[in-house]
Amino acid sequence: EVQVVESGGGLVKPGGSLRLACATSGFAFSRYSMNWVRQAPGKGLEWVSSISSSSNFRYYADSVKGRFTISRDNAETSVYLQMNSLRADDTAVYYCAKGYHDFWSGFDYWGQGALVTVSS
Amino acid sequence: QSALTQPASVSGSPGQSITISCTGTSSDVGGYNYVSWYQHHPGKAPKLLIYDVSNRPSGVSHRFSGSKSGNTASLTISGLQAEDETDYYCSSYTSTSTLYVFGTGTRVTVL
């Protein structure tokens, strides 16, 4: 059974940092891209970042570029999102999702999400 | 890069078919076959329904189908059931600096 479990969410002050982790199991982790998607309160889904299977390629939404860093550990079958210089509009539920087919063919397994609240 | 445009809400009676549109541009929906559709019950993990415009992952009901014409993609739900009442999102690769974009979301109501 495929499992995707996010952790590390919480309350942080504007300008602060937080590191999200996503632990996975049940599939050949090192063969698939991994992704982060977020949903702000009352809003729709927003793609945040993606990383290729071997970490050769990392992509970011314009809204987080230069502030967030995606990484992965294939030995630990985990992916991470380091979030720096956090702003109020980064407040959202952050989902970790497994890439399905080609790099941009969609995300087939998602976690339940981790809530990040940026507030003073 | 703005989100892809979806109708805010679509409704139908049990057993009917409904179609949700997803309108983009030639830089995303119209230019690439990387359109996906997701079902999202609030508070739960989103579920991939369609990938690469019209392909269903294994285990997804045949009641869900996808298509594309020009800059608009569509998700059709046939034989509407009460359990289909929730939110649906399209997404697409885009050649703009954004790289990947979701739709605005559609709330489906089963009357």
Side-chain angles (χ1 to χ4, degrees):
Chain A
E1 179 193 3
V2 173
Q3 291 197 327
V4 178
V5 180
E6 303 92 343
S7 61
L11 175 64
V12 61
K13 289 181 168 53
S17 298
L18 209 56
R19 188 191 194 216
L20 299 181
C22 171
T24 75
S25 62
F27 66 98
F29 181 81
S30 63
R31 292 174 54 187
Y32 295 94
S33 61
M34 293 296 297
N35 312 272
W36 290 96
V37 175
R38 68 185 180 183
Q39 185 174 35
K43 304 292 186 181
L45 300 174
E46 178 189 16
W47 171 75
V48 174
S49 182
S50 299
I51 186 168
S52 61
S53 58
S54 57
S55 302
N56 287 346
F57 302 99
R58 308 180 196 214
Y59 302 104
Y60 301 93
D62 288 339
S63 56
V64 307
K65 205 171 293 181
R67 301 186 299 122
F68 289 12
T69 301
I70 190 171
S71 62
R72 65 189 291 160
D73 184 332
N74 285 351
E76 296 293 326
T77 64
S78 294
V79 62
Y80 307 95
L81 188 68
Q82 177 67 42
M83 304 184 293
N84 299 330
S85 303
L86 282 162
R87 311 185 303 221
D89 62 1
D90 293 318
T91 294
V93 173
Y94 284 74
Y95 295 99
C96 173
K98 168 187 169 291
Y100 180 55
H101 196 242
D102 286 348
F103 200 93
W104 301 112
S105 285
F107 314 142
D108 60 340
Y109 287 98
W110 299 58
Q112 295 286 337
L115 177 61
V116 173
T117 303
V118 183
S119 175
S120 54
Chain B
Q1 170 70 32
S2 300
L4 306 175
T5 301
Q6 298 180 232
S9 62
V10 174
S11 62
S13 299
Q16 285 187 331
S17 293
I18 62 170
T19 296
I20 303 169
S21 61
C22 170
T23 301
T25 69
S26 58
S27 296
D28 39 65
V29 173
Y32 305 90
N33 288 324
Y34 284 132
V35 177
S36 300
W37 288 91
Y38 300 88
Q39 179 188 64
H40 187 204
H41 291 276
K44 297 194 173 182
K47 177 183 179 181
L48 179 66
L49 298 175
I50 298 290
Y51 70 97
D52 294 353
V53 177
S54 60
N55 296 293
R56 262 187 315 272
S58 61
V60 172
S61 171
H62 284 70
R63 298 189 299 108
F64 297 95
S65 62
S67 62
K68 186 180 82 168
S69 177
N71 295 336
T72 298
S74 300
L75 173 73
T76 298
I77 308 175
S78 57
L80 199 62
Q81 300 177 0
E83 66 201 50
D84 299 331
E85 184 167 292
T86 190
D87 299 326
Y88 294 81
Y89 293 89
C90 63
S91 66
S92 174
Y93 168 78
T94 169
S95 58
T96 68
S97 61
T98 303
L99 291 180
Y100 199 76
V101 62
F102 281 90
T104 50
T106 297
R107 173 65 58 90
V108 168
T109 301
V110 181
L111 302 172

